[in-house]
Amino acid sequence: MNAVARKIVPRPKALNCPNCGSAIELRAMGAAATVVCSYCSTTLDATNPQLVILQRWEAQITVQPLIPLGARGKLSGGIWEVIGFQQRGIDVEGTNYYWREYVLFNPYKGFRYLSEYDNHWSFVTPIPSLPIPGKNNYNRETATYDGAVYDHFQSAKACTWFVIGEFPWQVKVGEIVDTADYIAPPKMLSAETTGNEVNWSRGEYLEGKDIWAAFQLPGEAPAAIGVYSSQPAPVDTRPGRPWKLFFIYAALLIGMMIFFSARALQETVLDETYTFQPAATGERSFVTKVFQLRGDKTNLRVEVNANLDNQWAFFGMALINDETGQAYDFGRQVSNYHGVDAGESWSEDDHADAATLPGIPGGRYYLRIEPETETPAPLASMRMPAPIIYNVKLIRDVPFYFRYFLGIFLLLLPLPFLGRKGRGIEQSRWAESDYGVPPNTIVWQSSSSSGDNDE
Amino acid sequence: MSQPTAICPNCGAPIRFRWSSAVQTTCEYCKSILVRHDVNLEKVGQVADLPPDISPIQIGTEGVYRNSAFQVIGRIVYSYDLGSWNEWHLMFSNGSSGWLSDAQAEYAVSFLSAAEGFLPLPQNVTRGWHTKQQGVDLTITTLTEANYEGVEGELPFTYWDKERCWFADLRSADGRFATIDYTENPPLFFLGEFIDFDSLRLVNLKEFEGWTA
């Protein structure tokens, strides 16, 4: 690096307004074209050291900027000083809408702007490019810049109502420019046309609290009103977003299901076949051998399978802890019926049944089983009824799928709500536009109407 | 890079060239504008007082453009209805030369190029005129009438004693930039791009009271 003598550009001296004599502080280091006296609103030529008067103007209204001139803030990777402020307005069918713009300056990086409408803010950067005009699939205007497609929102004539401070162009109260806004929330492209010169800029939506933090303003930012054109919809309501979240959580649940299934013991602790004579009298209940249930509190699956022929059987069961005597009572019913009616054979076969007992602590257990069935009619047959042969199988710690499917079902429930909320935000946003409806709306045009505005 | 030295024909101060191809320079001491004829220097004029300087760039500023290091070795100053701007003459480490303009702290780097096809005549130039140059669609967006204010340092051509100057600026959809410079006949064509201040990684900048770069 070659040595270069250190050169410091001094802060510009304050000058006096040639109209009212008030001190005018120059903050733009000479980069501004115009400066407007904060006291008498006279517009002066900032490129001329004598501050020649460009426009004398009796203040009709006075607007107090929310960020004072001279305040510095850190935004978008740079330090910016507020050097100018204006209020502009558009007339939409007889109603005036006003917004405010702050000129930001950094002697190295140049000019940026902040705009504020109903406490919605945008950080605006001039873009030295010409976005490409186009139409979307619904024949609505678009502008494409830097790979993103912006939907046309509103075109209007904007009038400057109030100005103070320094501006990089020749600002004038009463000046009217054509504006066109295109949105791709949280970004907005704006074109301002004066004569046949077009200036494009790109705004990035900011909340009041971001501005308050950046400029360390006292108190709290006033709450924003309504939905602003480039305000991003809450993340969860954007198109496709609810489904994306659904798939993420569903995949998580399925992953958990696979993980816990793989870890499940699935250990058969009892698998015995017993015989029960329906005609036998006396005590039917009996107890099985003692078996060990491993692990902490987890489930135990009971499967009962019986050979039945036009009969039912009920198995009253109790799982009893051999050490503490604690019992878990439950029962399983199985049945099998079949026959021929009017030449059609039919069957209802429920000869197997299963249940899962949740939360059984580990330990030594046995099962008490008491089989029951319909008592055979004593005279119906002299023969002994056929014995019921049944199998009881106990499996410790089986995978439990139902809760996962329930979880996935519950995940589906908010989707219609989020989708409707998202559509509601888009409807509110576009209600303020030239079209009244979002850009993906089919508008049926009658042959007599020009079609843009079907109010 | 050779750095030939010479003597100012006006005041006798040593004149050091940073760039061997420079055809014009200014004397740092007596502010004479000097044009090179082989080994001799001829005083052709005197640098006027330049308008108050608003640019962070100065002669000696160094930076990087598309991985090529450059040094600022000269400038032309213009004024127009929004103030003044500089066309900084850049010398790249490979010996080529380019320009960095800083109007209203909007920076663009450009290079003298041979225009493809015909450029509009000064009396016919209008906003909205389209051209395709090196595969880039460009449109005239701004016509600027400027006043020549002065020169400083080394330039690749003789340039001094101008008055009114006309420029047509062209833009593209993707940040490319071009200028048709009507101070010469036939007009000169410069092609380049707008560039973010931070990406130039400039050093040896001027300092602004109360600010850090």
Side-chain angles (χ1 to χ4, degrees):
Chain A
M1 189 193 297
N2 295 336
V4 172
R6 193 151 174 251
K7 190 168 169 190
I8 300 174
V9 181
R11 202 186 286 275
K13 284 196 279 285
L15 296 168
N16 290 328
C17 172
N19 187 50
C20 72
S22 306
I24 291 181
E25 202 170 329
L26 294 172
R27 301 183 171 89
M29 300 283 177
T34 333
V35 58
V36 180
C37 174
S38 304
Y39 300 93
C40 69
S41 295
T42 298
T43 306
L44 308 161
D45 183 354
T47 67
N48 183 314
Q50 272 74 50
L51 292 178
V52 173
I53 294 174
L54 295 174
Q55 187 186 34
R56 253 197 202 91
W57 176 66
E58 287 297 315
Q60 307 278 320
I61 48 165
T62 303
V63 186
Q64 196 66 35
L66 292 170
I67 316 171
L69 296 191
R72 286 190 188 180
K74 193 167 186 188
L75 274 173
S76 191
I79 305 276
W80 304 99
E81 182 166 328
V82 176
I83 65 163
F85 170 76
Q86 67 173 338
Q87 172 154 292
R88 298 207 287 170
I90 55 170
D91 180 328
V92 179
E93 289 158 10
T95 309
N96 277 305
Y97 296 87
Y98 297 105
W99 71 94
R100 287 144 293 279
E101 291 178 356
Y102 298 78
V103 183
L104 306 180
F105 179 72
N106 173 304
Y108 301 96
K109 295 163 194 267
F111 296 95
R112 301 289 187 276
Y113 305 89
L114 279 175
S115 78
E116 178 269 322
Y117 174 76
D118 274 355
N119 299 310
H120 297 277
W121 294 79
S122 291
F123 181 76
V124 179
T125 306
I127 54 171
S129 293
L130 302 169
I132 302 163
K135 292 260 170 117
N136 77 358
N137 291 338
Y138 301 85
N139 207 34
R140 292 263 293 259
E141 272 182 64
T142 61
T144 302
Y145 172 66
D146 204 12
V149 179
Y150 293 74
D151 293 303
H152 179 246
F153 190 82
Q154 189 170 60
S155 290
K157 288 192 183 300
C159 181
T160 303
W161 288 95
F162 177 78
V163 188
I164 50 170
E166 288 170 86
F167 285 78
W169 70 89
Q170 279 151 3
V171 68
K172 278 196 186 83
V173 170
E175 187 167 52
I176 292 171
V177 298
D178 289 304
T179 64
D181 292 334
Y182 300 79
I183 62 166
K187 292 197 164 83
M188 178 192 293
L189 281 186
S190 298
E192 288 197 4
T193 310
T194 34
N196 52 356
E197 185 159 352
V198 186
N199 286 303
W200 286 89
S201 62
R202 178 164 64 176
E204 173 110 34
Y205 184 85
L206 291 173
E207 292 181 35
K209 64 178 168 61
D210 305 327
I211 302 296
W212 255 243
F215 288 91
Q216 296 176 321
L217 298 177
E220 292 221 344
I225 302 162
V227 176
Y228 185 62
S229 54
S230 65
Q231 181 178 6
V235 169
D236 294 349
T237 66
R238 285 179 211 165
R241 177 78 192 189
W243 278 106
K244 195 174 162 190
L245 286 176
F246 167 76
F247 283 116
I248 289 169
Y249 287 119
L252 211 64
L253 278 177
I254 289 167
M256 281 168 66
M257 184 174 90
I258 292 168
F259 177 75
F260 286 111
S261 309
R263 276 174 46 121
L265 284 172
Q266 298 198 67
E267 182 188 15
T268 301
V269 293
L270 183 82
D271 188 0
E272 298 283 342
T273 302
Y274 307 102
T275 306
F276 162 49
Q277 174 46 255
T281 52
E283 181 57 48
R284 289 168 173 169
S285 67
F286 66 97
V287 297
T288 66
K289 64 175 187 183
V290 173
F291 46 85
Q292 180 75 34
L293 295 185
R294 289 202 289 142
D296 285 334
K297 256 189 167 182
T298 181
N299 62 40
L300 179 70
R301 185 172 170 84
V302 182
E303 289 175 7
V304 178
N305 191 340
N307 73 325
L308 298 167
D309 183 20
N310 272 328
Q311 65 196 136
W312 58 264
F314 179 81
F315 300 95
M317 296 196 216
L319 177 70
I320 299 158
N321 188 312
D322 192 33
E323 287 135 18
T324 65
Q326 191 185 2
Y328 301 85
D329 287 303
F330 59 101
R332 293 286 91 189
Q333 173 153 328
V334 289
S335 63
N336 176 286
Y337 289 98
H338 57 88
V340 178
D341 267 352
E344 297 270 342
S345 71
W346 58 272
S347 76
E348 279 175 23
D349 185 11
D350 297 306
H351 72 277
D353 192 21
T356 303
L357 309 180
I360 307 293
R364 288 164 58 77
Y365 287 86
Y366 60 89
L367 197 63
R368 187 170 62 83
I369 305 174
E370 182 173 6
E372 277 178 50
T373 186
E374 53 205 300
T375 315
L379 296 176
S381 164
M382 290 308 291
R383 291 193 295 131
M384 287 284 278
I388 296 172
I389 300 166
Y390 62 99
N391 177 270
V392 176
K393 190 172 177 179
L394 297 182
I395 307 159
R396 176 63 166 165
D397 192 16
V398 293
F400 195 61
Y401 298 108
F402 176 70
R403 70 176 78 155
Y404 297 104
F405 292 120
L406 180 70
I408 288 170
F409 173 73
L410 290 176
L411 280 177
L412 281 168
L413 292 181
L415 289 179
F417 167 73
L418 289 173
R420 198 158 54 237
K421 192 173 164 196
R423 282 191 296 279
I425 287 166
E426 293 312 312
Q427 296 291 347
S428 309
R429 179 200 308 285
W430 286 94
E432 299 296 317
S433 74
D434 288 350
Y435 306 89
V437 290
N440 54 354
T441 311
I442 297 166
V443 178
W444 300 103
Q445 300 182 1
S446 64
S447 51
S448 60
S449 128
S450 67
D452 251 7
N453 205 328
D454 57 353
E455 282 170 84
Chain B
M1 189 121 350
S2 62
Q3 294 201 333
T5 47
I7 301 292
C8 173
N10 188 51
C11 71
I15 304 292
R16 191 173 62 95
F17 283 94
R18 301 170 200 247
W19 187 46
S20 57
S21 307
V23 299
Q24 177 182 311
T25 191
T26 48
C27 173
E28 287 178 45
Y29 300 93
C30 68
K31 308 294 176 197
S32 295
I33 299 171
L34 306 171
V35 170
R36 232 164 140 186
H37 302 289
D38 298 325
V39 292
N40 299 320
L41 290 174
E42 180 199 354
K43 177 177 175 177
V44 294
Q46 188 76 23
V47 176
D49 281 342
L50 295 174
D53 215 338
I54 57 163
S55 180
I57 299 165
Q58 58 186 335
I59 288 180
T61 294
E62 293 175 16
V64 178
Y65 171 73
R66 290 190 178 266
N67 296 322
S68 284
F70 64 79
Q71 188 183 4
V72 175
I73 59 168
R75 67 162 162 166
I76 305 173
V77 188
Y78 298 99
S79 64
Y80 68 132
D81 56 0
L82 298 180
S84 66
W85 90 90
N86 297 287
E87 295 289 345
W88 296 100
H89 180 213
L90 311 181
M91 173 190 70
F92 284 89
S93 50
N94 65 2
S96 65
S97 103
W99 298 88
L100 170 60
S101 75
D102 64 0
Q104 294 204 307
E106 192 167 71
Y107 301 94
V109 171
S110 64
F111 300 90
L112 183 65
S113 306
E116 297 163 18
F118 292 101
L119 296 175
L121 294 169
Q123 61 270 29
N124 293 340
V125 64
T126 51
R127 288 198 194 106
W129 183 80
H130 291 277
T131 182
K132 192 163 193 157
Q133 299 288 339
Q134 299 179 15
V136 183
D137 280 312
L138 291 155
T139 305
I140 294 181
T141 54
T142 316
L143 299 174
T144 306
E145 186 181 359
N147 280 319
Y148 163 84
E149 293 288 341
V151 288
E152 189 185 2
E154 295 169 45
L155 297 178
F157 40 68
T158 57
Y159 197 86
W160 58 284
D161 200 23
K162 301 279 182 185
E163 287 182 359
R164 303 298 278 168
C165 309
W166 281 267
F167 298 95
D169 286 348
L170 297 88
R171 295 181 174 199
S172 75
D174 59 354
R176 301 293 290 268
F177 160 82
T179 295
I180 306 171
D181 177 351
Y182 286 104
T183 55
E184 300 283 323
N185 189 14
L188 301 176
F189 184 71
F190 296 87
L191 185 60
E193 64 180 321
F194 288 96
I195 192 127
D196 183 54
F197 176 83
D198 290 328
S199 75
L200 288 171
R201 285 146 55 195
L202 298 173
V203 293
N204 293 342
L205 290 169
K206 280 189 301 206
E207 294 171 43
F208 292 96
E209 188 187 347
W211 288 90
T212 47

